[in-house]
Amino acid sequence: MKALVYHGPGQRGWDTVDDPTILDPTDAVVRIDTSTICGTDLHILKGDVPETTPGTVLGHEAVGTVQEVGAGVSTVAPGDRVLMSCVSSCGRCRYCKEARYGQCLGGGGWIFGHLINGLQAEYARVPFADNSVYKVPEQLTDEQVLFLADILPTSFEVGVLNGMVSPGDTVAIVGAGPIGLAAILTARLYTPGRIVAIDLADSRLQSARRFGADTTINNGSEDAVARVMELTDGLGADVAFEAVGVPQTFELAAELIRPGGRVANIGVHGQSAQLHLEKLWIRDVTITTGLVDTFSIPQLMRLISSGRLDPSLFATHRFALGDTMSAYDTFADAANTNALKVVLQGANANSPTAEAERTAVVA
Ligand SMILES: [Zn+2]
Ligand SMILES: [Zn+2]
């Protein structure tokens, strides 16, 4: 089969590799119909994730069709269309029993395209299939559920739920990339009073308005703290999300918060940030961090089914799975291409307009 293989920092190829097979009785082999690329894949390609070794197939977000299951799999069968979560769950360890699958001790957690071969490929071996894949309702297209593999549950669980967004809240979101935009979509489920998006790029702020931000602030040209104070009678935001993953944005989120408010860190950090405990302790501020567990996938999928949540806005570019190399170029150059998520479509992608749109993008 063909797959996107990591060959060490800065190097990737669309290579012919061995077809995956069942190794453990709890495995399934799935044909990948629709996949996508994540900012984390770009971090791996930069060499920021040393646990990922050269030769690994990348990708941790996909929808596919089960081809084969091991003897220990009983809830999915060949022919089922399934969403694969970025986080796998052994279903047996202490953390899995608490629905904290991201911390799985039994060989799960974030493994796809990280510790084992991933999902930017024609086929994939999927461990712990009973606990780690979700059947897709027939009326939904691959693309409608694809972003449930990672960015929607990440922003919902680590942002909205950890930050305890409540009706009427002023929610400030620092960073309007895909994760910040997903935080806007999922925060809206709780009817906040106002959503404020903060970013350095006007194009991303434009997307933020499209996703439902009420106020946008370019903190390259405006004082974000002063604007948020002005909007909140000098108190600050009820909830602030950090959705970038650099020290400055975390420190800004902590400055935006009102006494008694909540800072929810969603970004993936590689460096230490300043924690101004001397200013925060007396203000009753709560700070949360987290890795996604994806326990909310079934709940979010029901919202998509009933038309209350529509993540299809994320799909800005579509490529045939065989063009994954060009899709990476487009995604990595988001500043110029305005790519949010690039959709990779296999020959069997379940999207009624897949072929027409693919042609349109190419034209
Ligand atoms: Zn991801
Ligand atoms: Zn586990």
Side-chain angles (χ1 to χ4, degrees):
M1 69 158 186
K2 290 284 193 180
L4 194 289
V5 180
Y6 171 64
H7 290 295
Q11 292 172 51
R12 56 177 152 87
W14 181 248
D15 299 350
T16 301
V17 299
D18 289 343
D19 286 350
T21 53
I22 302 280
L23 298 180
D24 292 310
T26 47
D27 287 351
V29 170
V30 176
R31 181 190 72 212
I32 304 299
D33 297 329
T34 303
S35 188
T36 183
I37 306 172
C38 177
T40 307
D41 300 322
L42 302 182
H43 281 294
I44 295 173
L45 276 165
K46 276 192 204 135
D48 292 348
V49 186
E51 314 86 82
T52 304
T53 51
T56 304
V57 174
L58 296 187
H60 52 261
E61 303 166 73
V63 179
T65 305
V66 176
Q67 304 294 293
E68 196 188 340
V69 295
V73 175
S74 58
T75 61
V76 290
D80 285 347
R81 193 159 59 103
V82 294
L83 169 78
M84 280 150 282
S85 165
C86 63
V87 165
S88 304
S89 158
C90 81
R92 301 158 65 102
C93 73
R94 169 186 166 175
Y95 287 112
C96 285
K97 286 183 174 170
E98 294 173 359
R100 303 187 73 137
Y101 313 130
Q103 306 298 329
C104 176
L105 299 168
W110 173 39
I111 53 174
F112 282 134
H114 177 209
L115 306 179
I116 67 167
N117 284 336
L119 308 176
Q120 289 157 7
E122 291 176 328
Y123 294 90
R125 178 179 78 91
V126 177
F128 311 117
D130 275 334
N131 307 310
S132 309
V133 307
Y134 299 83
K135 283 189 205 174
V136 179
E138 209 172 321
Q139 74 274 18
L140 297 181
T141 64
D142 291 358
E143 205 170 287
Q144 278 178 291
V145 297
L146 178 63
F147 309 122
L148 291 180
D150 183 350
I151 58 173
L152 260 82
T154 295
S155 60
F156 183 59
E157 295 171 14
V158 185
V160 177
L161 296 182
N162 279 357
M164 295 191 289
V165 173
S166 299
D169 276 357
T170 292
V171 178
I173 302 176
V174 184
I179 283 285
L181 297 173
I184 295 175
L185 272 194
T186 51
R188 284 171 60 195
L189 296 168
Y190 285 85
T191 324
R194 186 201 302 272
I195 296 176
V196 182
I198 301 164
D199 200 288
L200 291 168
D202 285 326
S203 59
R204 285 199 291 265
L205 292 172
Q206 219 164 39
S207 303
R209 279 191 291 274
R210 217 153 36 86
F211 277 70
D214 303 289
T215 306
T216 54
I217 302 172
N218 184 321
N219 61 325
S221 54
E222 294 173 88
D223 181 340
V225 177
R227 281 286 310 280
V228 169
M229 294 303 155
E230 194 181 290
L231 292 167
T232 54
D233 299 325
L235 281 178
D238 298 282
V239 184
F241 297 152
E242 194 288 331
V244 181
V246 297
Q248 296 88 326
T249 47
F250 173 79
E251 290 157 19
L252 174 59
E255 275 190 82
L256 296 172
I257 208 68
R258 71 161 168 84
R262 282 110 32 216
V263 177
N265 183 82
I266 317 175
V268 175
H269 291 264
Q271 291 174 46
S272 57
Q274 283 261 5
L275 179 67
H276 287 288
L277 208 47
E278 78 283 8
K279 290 184 198 158
L280 293 167
W281 76 270
I282 204 167
R283 292 158 56 86
D284 301 1
V285 169
T286 300
I287 298 174
T288 59
T289 63
L291 168 70
V292 68
D293 296 304
T294 69
F295 65 80
S296 65
I297 286 176
Q299 184 183 16
L300 295 169
M301 201 178 299
R302 286 195 298 276
L303 286 162
I304 295 173
S305 283
S306 59
R308 301 227 181 254
L309 179 66
D310 178 15
S312 59
L313 282 170
F314 282 106
T316 52
H317 296 73
R318 296 176 184 82
F319 293 85
L321 187 58
D323 289 335
T324 297
M325 289 295 278
S326 339
Y328 262 89
D329 296 335
T330 297
F331 184 65
D333 191 25
N336 292 309
T337 60
N338 285 325
L340 295 178
K341 290 293 271 183
V342 298
V343 179
L344 308 169
Q345 298 175 323
N348 298 286
N350 175 315
S351 170
T353 54
E355 197 53 46
E357 284 175 345
R358 197 148 68 213
T359 320
V361 168
V362 171

